[in-house]
Amino acid sequence: MKKIIAFLTLVLFAMPFVKNFSQEESSNSGAVAQLYNNLAQVYTVQGKEMSKEEEERLLKNLSPEIKTKLEEVKKLDKNKYYQLLRESSPFSALVVPSLSGTYSYSNGHALSLYENSYKERNEKIKKEKELEIDVELYALKCKNADKANQQTLKKELQSSLSQLFDIRESQKQEEVKQLEKRLQDLKESLQARKQNKDEIVQRRIQELLGDSRYLRWE
């Protein structure tokens, strides 16, 4: 569930930038929809055994480092391996290729800001996923280790959990900043609308009566 929340947060975070684009690039929303469908599938089958074909298909999207760690998990707990593999794969394709070379936008700054924010968010998600795999791997190793090695593995587990905690707290701080910015924008909008109530009401009357055409520039 935490991964779904993280993904939805990502989509909501990108929306203020996306709305500045022309309708031409709206076809890219298909990629977002596909990622959402992938996530839905992950959480309906997590932990269940998979076919060799599915396993190979999911592994090919992962980095060599993550593959190595997952192989270690597989040797210790196959069900946990299947779960982690399914959870890891959808996030491997989150980076959106640069669109600036394909389309022309009136607001190039908004596009650049959107791309940079998306990539930065993507990197944090990938790092979080790698740390989650580390945590599961160290926990499994610790359970199967002798007392001589357990202390070392516990330190590794503690270090990974500490880093994972910091990343998640950082994400929460970003969410708070976004909510504060949204709240400030709403307050300013509300204040402006109060100050211009009469004008807004008159414009709406003209729209309802079909007189708004006289207010057009051309």
Side-chain angles (χ1 to χ4, degrees), residues 3-4 30 45 49 57 59 62-63 65 73 82 89 94 100 136 141 171 173 177 180-181 198 200 204 206 210 214:
K3 313 304 181 307
I4 294 178
V45 297
E49 191 168 352
R57 176 174 57 81
L59 283 172
L62 302 178
S63 67
E65 293 79 12
V73 173
Y82 293 135
S89 297
L94 277 179
S100 56
E136 296 290 352
K141 284 184 174 181
Q171 291 172 348
Q173 289 176 0
K177 289 180 180 179
E180 289 176 342
K181 178 64 167 60
D198 292 340
I200 294 173
R204 183 55 179 158
Q206 291 172 327
Y214 297 116

Side-chain angles (χ1 to χ4, degrees), residues 10-120:
L10 170 63
V11 174
L12 291 174
F13 177 72
M15 285 178 65
F17 303 108
V18 174
K19 69 180 182 180
N20 290 321
F21 301 160
S22 66
Q23 293 182 347
E24 185 178 9
E25 71 275 7
S26 63
S27 60
N28 294 293
S29 62
V32 175
Q34 183 60 47
L35 285 171
Y36 183 85
N37 291 335
N38 289 344
L39 283 170
Q41 292 174 5
V42 165
Y43 287 90
T44 58
V45 297
Q46 65 174 358
K48 295 183 179 179
E49 191 168 352
M50 64 179 65
S51 66
K52 189 65 176 178
E53 291 76 13
E54 181 184 3
E55 181 180 7
E56 292 176 352
R57 176 174 57 81
L58 296 178
L59 283 172
K60 73 178 182 180
N61 294 321
L62 302 178
S63 67
E65 293 79 12
I66 292 183
K67 285 182 183 179
T68 300
K69 292 175 181 179
L70 285 174
E71 282 299 322
E72 292 187 68
V73 173
K74 185 178 182 180
K75 295 175 182 178
L76 299 169
D77 188 331
K78 271 195 172 184
N79 287 334
K80 179 62 66 175
Y81 163 75
Y82 293 135
Q83 176 186 338
L84 292 174
L85 178 56
R86 287 190 172 103
E87 289 178 358
S88 301
S89 297
F91 294 100
S92 64
L94 277 179
V95 172
V96 174
S98 174
L99 303 176
S100 56
T102 306
Y103 301 102
S104 296
Y105 300 96
S106 58
N107 192 342
H109 175 69
L111 174 62
S112 177
L113 184 60
Y114 163 69
E115 289 179 342
N116 291 337
S117 300
Y118 203 106
K119 290 177 181 179
E120 182 180 351

Side-chain angles (χ1 to χ4, degrees), residues 201-218:
V201 169
Q202 289 301 318
R203 286 189 177 184
R204 183 55 179 158
I205 290 174
Q206 291 172 327
E207 289 175 358
L208 291 171
L209 298 180
D211 294 334
S212 60
R213 64 185 182 278
Y214 297 116
L215 301 177
R216 295 175 182 172
W217 181 262
E218 296 178 351

